[in-house]
Amino acid sequence: MNQILMLRRTFTSSSTRLIKPDVLKKACTSILIQSGSSAEEANIVASNLVESNLKGHDSHGVGYLPRYVRAAMDNEVSINEKPDIVIENSFVKVDGKVCYGQVVGLEAMDAGIKVAKQHGMAIVTVKNSHHLGRIGAWAEQVIQQNLASIHFTNVAGHAPLVACEHGADARLGTNPITMGFPSNMTKNDDDSNSPPIILDFATSDLALGKVRETWARGEETKDNVLLDSNGEATNDPSVMFQKPAGALLPFCGHKGYAMALMCEIIGGVLSGGHTIHPKYPRHDERILNSMTTIIFDPSKLNDNLNEIDEEVNDVKQYMKDSPIRSTSASAKIFIPGELEMLSYEDRVVNGIPVAKGTWEDLVKVSKETGLESISD
């Protein structure tokens, strides 16, 4: 409880406050343990959420913890359980049994990595997982073993969040598409000089968590990313947390919509986890993810690891050497995954900015678990 009290004392009246990562992690771990999780499970979930914040993805960070914990206390999450994993040659089939997605993702990728190292590739399907969180974390887990991966994820279990191109209501989830490729397979150089390439984004213009964080800061969203419940454009993030709810718009119009639909089919249908079609059961607070992941060993296609590293890093540098347009004079060209690395380096030293509304919800849920009350 002392960690939570320490956090409370750091808060001011501003919209955000910097909080040290270890302090935030200990507070989240305490809340999870109080809600029934084992110390091991609490550490896995809290570590994953705080790492998302550290890497700049506040949308998938500790702001999700209150929803997780309330779902667990309502028996909507199977705490302290493990997913079922069946391995058939190069295929890994995972039934998450509605366990915490941080546990499911970790074990699913571990199994897929072992199979890919043996056979050169693995196709991993996950169904019935509670929220898998930042999918980029699973691509990073694969890359640590010198493997590459592609992830198709759908979001079901609750009402749709994202409109089709030209649609006036929500019909899809935020369905992220994720890819990861190592840049330092030979391990001859410092990893920081050759960070891996991680592409990871929602197929909606904004992830729901980013809308939540905007709302928690008391701000409006940018234009052309939200519809209200009448299908009209709005900048009010609260429309996504009302009944009837509004809808997020897909990124890049028809392109984002089409990618979301493919994630729905490849992630939801192939895994057996089902799609977001209304004929399947829905729960207001339960977040269910299905995911189909392809893991492969680049060295099975080209056994010259030095050549792979050289070509990947050459093309990365070629991108970064591009002259900047005069209209974007202060901009810089980044490689996918680089911003996460820079955010981590900054926040691990200077602290994580936590929105006031997010912190207040953490305080509230801590009281709901029976931890010592914290007054505002």
Side-chain angles (χ1 to χ4, degrees):
M1 194 60 208
N2 289 337
Q3 296 298 329
I4 296 176
L5 289 170
M6 287 172 61
L7 275 171
R8 185 65 190 91
R9 286 195 288 269
T10 67
F11 211 90
T12 69
S13 59
S14 62
S15 62
T16 60
R17 183 66 177 179
L18 293 175
I19 300 173
K20 290 296 185 182
D22 59 336
V23 175
L24 189 58
K25 179 185 170 184
K26 288 178 182 178
C28 292
T29 302
S30 297
I31 293 171
L32 284 158
I33 290 173
Q34 185 68 20
S35 68
S37 287
S38 66
E40 178 189 13
E41 180 174 84
N43 180 66
I44 291 172
V45 176
S47 296
N48 176 277
L49 294 176
V50 172
E51 183 183 63
S52 292
N53 289 108
L54 283 169
K55 293 189 174 178
H57 291 274
D58 299 317
S59 59
H60 288 70
V62 299
Y64 260 114
L65 185 65
R67 186 170 181 179
Y68 287 5
V69 169
R70 290 180 181 119
M73 293 193 296
D74 288 340
N75 297 315
E76 293 283 354
V77 179
S78 303
I79 62 173
N80 300 319
E81 289 196 36
K82 300 289 187 180
D84 287 336
I85 299 177
V86 175
I87 298 174
E88 299 174 351
N89 298 316
S90 294
F91 297 91
V92 180
K93 301 176 184 179
V94 181
D95 185 343
K97 301 192 311 188
V98 201
C99 302
Y100 274 123
Q102 287 75 13
V103 175
V104 176
L106 187 68
E107 299 211 359
M109 292 304 102
D110 272 346
I113 287 166
K114 291 176 183 176
V115 169
K117 285 190 169 183
Q118 180 181 359
H119 296 288
M121 67 163 294
I123 296 180
V124 183
T125 60
V126 175
K127 66 178 182 180
N128 299 329
S129 173
H130 195 257
H131 190 228
L132 282 164
R134 183 177 68 94
I135 307 301
W138 313 129
E140 290 167 357
Q141 183 180 343
V142 171
I143 281 173
Q144 288 172 2
Q145 302 300 318
N146 269 4
L147 301 172
S149 61
I150 305 170
H151 309 252
F152 302 88
T153 308
N154 86 325
V155 186
H158 56 68
L161 300 170
V162 183
C164 304
E165 169 71 340
H166 305 306
D169 67 352
R171 297 286 165 132
L172 288 160
T174 51
N175 296 6
I177 181 75
T178 309
M179 303 180 195
F181 198 92
S183 296
N184 194 28
M185 296 190 69
T186 56
K187 304 296 182 185
N188 289 328
D189 301 314
D190 189 313
D191 285 347
S192 63
N193 296 325
S194 303
I197 302 174
I198 304 283
L199 179 151
D200 180 31
F201 56 77
T203 48
S204 54
D205 197 291
L206 286 180
L208 182 64
K210 281 187 169 63
V211 179
R212 184 198 64 238
E213 289 297 301
T214 301
W215 187 32
R217 293 191 301 269
E219 299 171 359
E220 291 188 337
T221 64
K222 62 182 181 179
D223 293 338
N224 303 316
V225 298
L226 283 178
L227 302 176
D228 63 20
S229 59
N230 296 314
E232 300 294 331
T234 181
N235 300 97
D236 180 5
S238 70
V239 300
M240 294 305 301
F241 307 97
Q242 299 172 356
K243 291 185 179 181
L248 296 159
L249 290 174
F251 87 97
C252 293
H254 67 283
K255 296 181 181 180
Y257 157 62
M259 289 184 71
L261 184 58
M262 294 308 296
C263 286
E264 191 71 33
I265 293 169
I266 297 174
V269 175
L270 291 183
S271 66
H274 303 309
T275 67
I276 203 165
H277 193 282
K279 71 181 181 181
Y280 300 112
R282 290 177 178 169
H283 308 263
D284 286 344
E285 290 304 317
R286 179 184 285 183
I287 310 169
L288 286 181
N289 283 146
S290 298
M291 180 171 70
T292 295
T293 295
I294 302 168
I295 301 174
F296 60 97
D297 185 350
S299 71
K300 299 298 184 183
L301 301 170
N302 182 348
D303 60 7
N304 188 332
L305 301 187
N306 284 303
E307 183 176 272
I308 293 175
D309 283 349
E310 181 179 359
E311 188 154 8
V312 169
N313 288 303
D314 279 351
V315 76
K316 285 165 57 179
Q317 192 60 50
Y318 180 60
M319 298 301 113
K320 295 176 76 68
D321 288 343
S322 174
I324 303 299
R325 294 191 297 272
S326 59
T327 55
S328 308
S330 62
K332 183 178 178 181
I333 294 171
F334 292 100
I335 302 302
E338 188 177 3
L339 283 174
E340 286 82 353
M341 179 191 70
L342 295 173
S343 174
Y344 185 91
E345 291 174 351
D346 172 67
R347 292 185 174 191
V348 77
V349 173
N350 298 313
I352 294 169
V354 177
K356 183 176 181 181
T358 297
W359 169 246
E360 289 173 345
D361 206 16
L362 285 170
V363 171
K364 184 178 179 182
V365 80
S366 72
K367 294 177 182 178
E368 292 169 14
T369 66
L371 286 174
E372 180 183 334
S373 297
I374 304 172
S375 62
D376 288 341

